[in-house]
Amino acid sequence: MTSQAYLSDLFSLDGRAAVVTGGSSGIGRAIAKALARAGARVVVVARGKEHLEETVGELTDAGGTAAWVAGDLGTRAGVRAAAEEAAGVFGEPDILVNSAGINLRPPLGELGEDVWDTTMAVNLQAPFLLGQRFGPGMAERGFGRIIHITSQQAHRAFVQSGAYGVSKGALESLARSQAEAWSPYGVTVNTLVPGFVMTPLNQRLSSDPEKVAALAARTMTGRNGLAEDFEGAAVFLASRASAYVTGQSVFVDGGFSVH
């Protein structure tokens, strides 16, 4: 077997169907592109049709197979509708990536119930409902990959973690519960933990050069993250190469968490 054939067998996603929420921007978009380039048929789920069309256009222009579903993941009805529509495009997914998120972080003393409820709905409830919809089917078929995108705030509080940090910490706990339930049947569940990444979700901090520089100085690589830094880790966790990796929080942060 040639090295190319070996690597293709180990990491190829040919024949797999994937659903990527939040896949029209930032980390989710980079992951959607990576999965498509690795051979998966990718359904991108997000709210804005313009960005969805642009993303899917890029994927198909590059030779990938992709489609989009516009949906509101902030309500149970919206999540369920988006899930059913996504499953109807390329069939029941083998890979679910939960990258959609909302980053509202007022000072804790000013955090109202509306911000709390909205944050939990998008960052925690939607991944739970999507897991409940797709996880059992993956287990029945004997293969599945669920990947959640969390945050440093799941492990440490800084820059006003607020409800956002709580939601991401709970999401990592959800991943472990899902792994416990479904990994005996071939479904792995893991989280990717970014450092500070220059994406629209972090626009508030990205617009402050001093804070951006200070965060870069906290890494071991001397720079902040880019969305494309997650491509390799996502393909690994989505492929058969990661069959014995489950319930884990995989830090992709340039050493931010250990420096």
Side-chain angles (χ1 to χ4, degrees):
M1 177 182 288
T2 66
S3 60
Q4 183 175 358
Y6 171 72
L7 290 173
S8 178
D9 178 63
L10 190 62
F11 293 104
S12 173
L13 302 180
D14 288 345
R16 301 297 186 189
V19 171
V20 182
T21 73
S24 64
S25 67
I27 294 172
R29 184 170 181 164
I31 289 176
K33 290 181 180 179
L35 299 185
R37 293 184 68 183
R41 296 163 293 162
V42 179
V43 179
V44 180
V45 180
R47 294 184 66 176
K49 292 184 179 181
E50 181 179 349
H51 291 304
L52 282 166
E53 291 175 344
E54 179 184 342
T55 300
V56 169
E58 286 187 11
L59 269 60
T60 54
D61 288 346
T65 302
W68 59 267
V69 167
D72 179 7
L73 301 183
T75 68
R76 292 181 179 181
V79 173
R80 292 187 175 112
E84 293 307 315
E85 187 175 351
V89 180
F90 300 124
E92 293 291 319
D94 307 292
I95 303 160
L96 169 64
V97 180
N98 286 306
S99 185
I102 190 167
N103 191 2
L104 304 174
R105 302 224 294 266
L108 192 63
E110 302 172 12
L111 197 160
E113 292 180 1
D114 55 340
V115 171
W116 176 272
D117 291 344
T118 299
T119 301
M120 294 303 162
V122 176
N123 293 2
L124 182 60
Q125 179 176 268
F128 165 72
L129 293 174
L130 291 170
Q132 294 297 97
R133 172 60 183 82
F134 297 132
M138 294 177 181
E140 287 180 6
R141 296 189 299 273
F143 179 93
R145 299 289 186 265
I146 299 177
I147 304 168
H148 302 297
I149 309 301
T150 62
S151 168
Q152 297 288 328
Q153 274 79 17
H155 300 267
R156 56 191 55 82
F158 63 101
V159 293
Q160 298 176 0
S161 292
Y164 179 80
V166 175
S167 70
K168 292 300 187 177
L171 185 55
E172 295 202 0
S173 291
L174 174 64
R176 291 188 287 271
S177 293
Q178 291 172 327
E180 179 188 26
W182 298 322
S183 291
Y185 309 101
V187 182
T188 67
V189 188
N190 296 285
T191 70
L192 289 175
V193 188
F196 178 71
V197 183
M198 304 288 280
T199 68
L201 191 67
N202 284 323
Q203 187 173 5
R204 182 183 63 169
L205 286 175
S206 300
S207 61
D208 188 326
E210 290 187 5
K211 289 184 178 179
V212 169
L215 288 165
R218 289 183 59 172
T219 71
M220 290 182 172
T221 58
R223 69 170 177 86
N224 291 310
L226 301 172
E228 51 263 38
D229 290 327
F230 294 81
E231 294 177 359
V235 171
F236 166 67
L237 290 179
S239 70
R240 80 169 186 86
S242 62
Y244 203 55
V245 180
T246 194
Q248 302 301 311
S249 298
V250 180
F251 287 78
V252 182
D253 64 0
F256 184 99
S257 57
V258 294
H259 192 200

